[in-house]
Amino acid sequence: MLTPVPLLIVPLALYNIIVFLMPGTEWTTVLTTVEMMSGAHWTITLAEGFIVLSLFFLFFEILKSTRISSRSIIDHMLSMLVFAAGLAEFLLVRPAGNSVFAILLCIMLLDVVAGFSVSIRVAQRDFSVDPRAQQ
């Protein structure tokens, strides 16, 4: 029932929660440090974790776009609206004017383009002409 809801609205909402409801939170805040077998220390910041989470949601959005139904058209239209809202926020809202939000916006654009591309490709494979029907 919730399948036509674009999943990338979740990272957009999380970004706004972090920026507007948790003032003072820096994207450079270290979430964790992992010691590698090589002896190197891999630090993961809030920004990097957020981008990985957004890519995780993008993966499921692309999986959703492989289905052909009337709901998938609605899903693509809603994904376009989420991208448009994100673009407006990026251009007009000062706290959204940073690289983290720009990467989130690129992920949203990739969702829109990939969603339409995959749907068109799947629809082409689904369409077939019976040679006996032409006679």
Side-chain angles (χ1 to χ4, degrees):
M1 191 161 133
L2 291 176
T3 55
V5 175
L7 296 176
L8 286 176
I9 202 162
V10 174
L12 182 63
L14 283 175
Y15 181 90
N16 286 318
I17 288 169
I18 291 169
V19 168
F20 294 111
L21 298 180
M22 300 167 57
T25 303
E26 294 291 326
W27 289 105
T28 57
T29 302
V30 175
L31 294 179
T32 189
T33 302
V34 179
E35 186 173 342
M36 308 298 283
M37 292 178 69
S38 65
H41 294 280
W42 175 32
T43 57
I44 302 171
T45 64
L46 179 61
E48 295 161 346
F50 178 77
I51 291 167
V52 168
L53 178 70
S54 300
L55 288 171
F56 181 75
F57 280 102
L58 175 64
F59 171 73
F60 286 105
E61 274 293 314
I62 291 176
L63 282 180
K64 282 176 30 180
S65 69
T66 61
R67 291 179 290 113
I68 297 268
S69 69
S70 60
R71 289 184 185 181
S72 64
I73 294 169
I74 295 169
D75 186 37
H76 296 319
M77 291 169 45
L78 291 174
S79 292
M80 181 70 89
L81 287 174
V82 169
F83 171 71
L87 181 61
E89 185 173 353
F90 181 68
L91 296 173
L92 301 174
V93 179
R94 182 177 297 271
N98 58 39
S99 295
V100 175
F101 199 86
I103 293 171
L104 176 60
L105 198 60
C106 289
I107 290 170
M108 286 188 241
L109 178 62
L110 183 63
D111 171 40
V112 170
V113 172
F116 283 117
S117 301
V118 168
S119 292
I120 290 169
R121 187 60 132 171
V122 170
Q124 285 176 345
R125 288 186 182 171
D126 194 38
F127 179 74
S128 63
V129 177
D130 186 10
R132 291 173 282 160
Q134 293 178 354
Q135 297 174 355

